[in-house]
Amino acid sequence: MTTPTVPGTPAVPGATAVPGTPDVPGTPAFPSAPGTADIPSMPDAPGALGTADTPGTPDVPGVPGAPAPLVRFERRGHVAVLTLDRPAVRNAVDSALAAALGAALTELDRDPALRVGVLTGAGPVFCAGADLKALAAGGVVHDPDHEEWGFAGIVHHPVRTPLIAAVEGAALGGGLEIALACDLVVAAEDARFGLPEVTRGLLAGAGGLIRLPRLVPVRAAMEAALTGEPVSAATARQWHLVNRLAPPGHALRAALELAERVAAHAPLSLQAAKRLVRAASGGTSEDELWRVNAELSARLLASRDAREGMTAFAERRPPVWHGC
């Protein structure tokens, strides 16, 4: 069996097609109207999205009685940093965190000034996966108002903006599935990746058993799925599951450096490239890929940014992108 080595996703429910073209499996529409949900606009300084009164969460400094954000949202120029913030439970996902992350991703796509998102976790662990205590109590690990977004508000979320995972510590079970939903992964050298669901009588049903075999050798994916044993960051790098390694404690810093390199380029070109790569790795037919390739190429060629890019090249100066 031959598997592609580029990240891919199955068809995403709710993705909007490019006008005049059918949906391409696994890819959000390009371009489309900003936003997919009616959420409050974000401040320019680090802020909160989708806060919930979670037991054990500290109050927001300076706001007595207010719950701390479950996902912190910070703008750094053209890059947004999204931080899962339940360190007391190793950033395990419950419905409130899923709603917060889904809202943060929506805001990322709605803001035309943001070109790249970096997703990380507070504390020493990226994400330990689903909150099993919440599940055992009858809870869910998706946003009840947006079930179409899937686990953690991300695994089926049609995000146009390139997304980089910055992994410290462990990305296990649903934590790995969150990383697999991202476009690039930067990991600390002591990070670990795994799908331990079989050790709990569960299934890695949030994309782990679908996306992992598209990224790594099939037998490697099968071993990870059947043994439930985690692999080192070095092994994940050899498998091309991880793009870059960083010293322990510096995954976010390295991810931001990568994000800045990506964010230096034309926003519409980035979105189109992401869409086409995901479609190509998701099983879309060759004829359909070439048709969509031609559609996107024509749209970009007619854009203001394409004219700016060519003019800047001729004038030997850095381009100034407008996102249109």
Side-chain angles (χ1 to χ4, degrees), residues 1-7 176 180 208 210-224 231 235-242:
M1 176 178 177
T2 302
T3 57
T5 58
V6 182
L176 175 54
L180 290 171
I210 297 172
R211 287 178 169 139
L212 190 62
R214 293 175 176 171
L215 287 166
V216 309
V218 172
R219 293 195 185 278
M222 190 67 77
E223 181 176 346
V231 299
T235 298
R237 178 73 178 90
Q238 292 174 350
W239 287 354
H240 303 288
L241 176 60
V242 168

Side-chain angles (χ1 to χ4, degrees), residues 77-242:
H78 294 300
V79 178
V81 178
L82 286 61
T83 305
L84 308 178
D85 201 3
R86 294 187 77 203
V89 291
R90 300 189 299 169
N91 299 316
V93 177
D94 62 2
S95 61
L97 186 142
L101 181 55
L105 294 171
T106 296
E107 179 63 19
L108 173 66
D109 261 3
R110 291 180 66 170
D111 191 335
L114 296 174
R115 300 175 187 172
V116 184
V118 174
L119 177 60
T120 192
V125 173
F126 175 72
C127 179
D131 188 332
L132 297 184
K133 290 184 178 179
L135 285 175
V140 296
V141 288
H142 59 265
D143 179 357
D145 294 329
H146 290 282
E147 293 187 16
E148 73 277 10
W149 289 346
F151 172 74
I154 186 173
V155 299
H156 290 310
H157 199 140
V159 181
R160 299 190 312 271
T161 308
L163 195 59
I164 302 172
V167 178
E168 293 281 354
L172 301 176
L176 175 54
E177 290 171 316
I178 290 173
L180 290 171
C182 296
D183 304 299
L184 300 170
V185 177
V186 175
E189 292 168 345
D190 59 353
R192 296 177 301 129
F193 299 84
L195 296 172
E197 280 80 358
V198 292
T199 70
R200 297 291 182 265
L202 303 172
L203 181 75
L209 302 180
I210 297 172
R211 287 178 169 139
L212 190 62
R214 293 175 176 171
L215 287 166
V216 309
V218 172
R219 293 195 185 278
M222 190 67 77
E223 181 176 346
L226 297 184
T227 67
E229 297 174 356
V231 299
S232 67
T235 298
R237 178 73 178 90
Q238 292 174 350
W239 287 354
H240 303 288
L241 176 60
V242 168

